[in-house]
Amino acid sequence: FALACFLCLLCARVAAGEEHSSGSGRIVAVADLHGDFDHAVDILRAAGLAEVDDSDAKAVAGDGLPYDRYRGVRWIGGNATLVQTGDIVDRGDFARDLYKLFSELRRQAPEAGGRVVNIVGNHELLNLQRDLRYVSPGDNAAYGGAAKRKKAWAADGELGRQILEEFEPLDVVGDTLFVHA
């Protein structure tokens, strides 16, 4: 199902010839974060794109579970375009926190004239297809167990919907094509 959705999105984007301009801002691309929240934050800070809350106060998701590392984020990238080229998930323990962080950045960036794009990676597709061989025990624990994680990654689950509705199979910024390879 997920692969079919991905292919439909890809064909629709290519057929429509959609292009998104980054305006006069700079373009920053980041690949394959694989659940590594701390290094992702270091990259966003070094690029001058985000201020991340380091307080001890735990942020809590709508399901009542607290995030392990995510406390809050503020877009400071102005009119920059941030392209994350997929594979936020698997191998590391903090993918759930990263999806929340990027969801907030996607919401906030346009208010400052910026843009955040998330590209679907093969590990997002693997999870949507229930191929969980790369999921860490810590990632399962972040959701309150493997069953709750599977529910969140279902096509109608919190993360499954986010991937299918808000992530892109590809994106063109100016004259540059971004894909997960």
Side-chain angles (χ1 to χ4, degrees), residues 31-36 84 86-99 102 119-128 131-132 134-136 139-140 143 149 153 159 163 167 180:
D32 296 66
L33 297 172
H34 287 293
D36 189 343
Q84 196 287 317
D87 286 359
I88 289 176
V89 70
D90 288 340
R91 296 192 172 105
D93 293 340
F94 305 108
R96 179 173 173 261
D97 298 66
L98 283 170
Y99 284 110
F102 275 95
I119 305 288
V120 178
N122 61 302
H123 283 267
E124 278 83 18
L125 287 176
L126 287 170
N127 278 266
L128 287 169
D131 182 341
L132 307 176
Y134 300 106
V135 176
S136 72
D139 197 38
N140 274 329
Y143 290 88
R149 188 184 186 286
W153 275 92
L159 270 174
I163 303 301
F167 280 45
H180 181 79

Side-chain angles (χ1 to χ4, degrees), residues 78-119:
N79 65 350
T81 297
L82 169 61
V83 181
Q84 196 287 317
T85 60
D87 286 359
I88 289 176
V89 70
D90 288 340
R91 296 192 172 105
D93 293 340
F94 305 108
R96 179 173 173 261
D97 298 66
L98 283 170
Y99 284 110
K100 177 61 177 173
L101 180 135
F102 275 95
S103 175
E104 278 300 305
L105 291 176
R106 280 194 312 274
R107 183 184 67 75
Q108 294 176 24
E111 297 169 5
R115 185 164 171 256
V116 175
V117 178
N118 288 103
I119 305 288

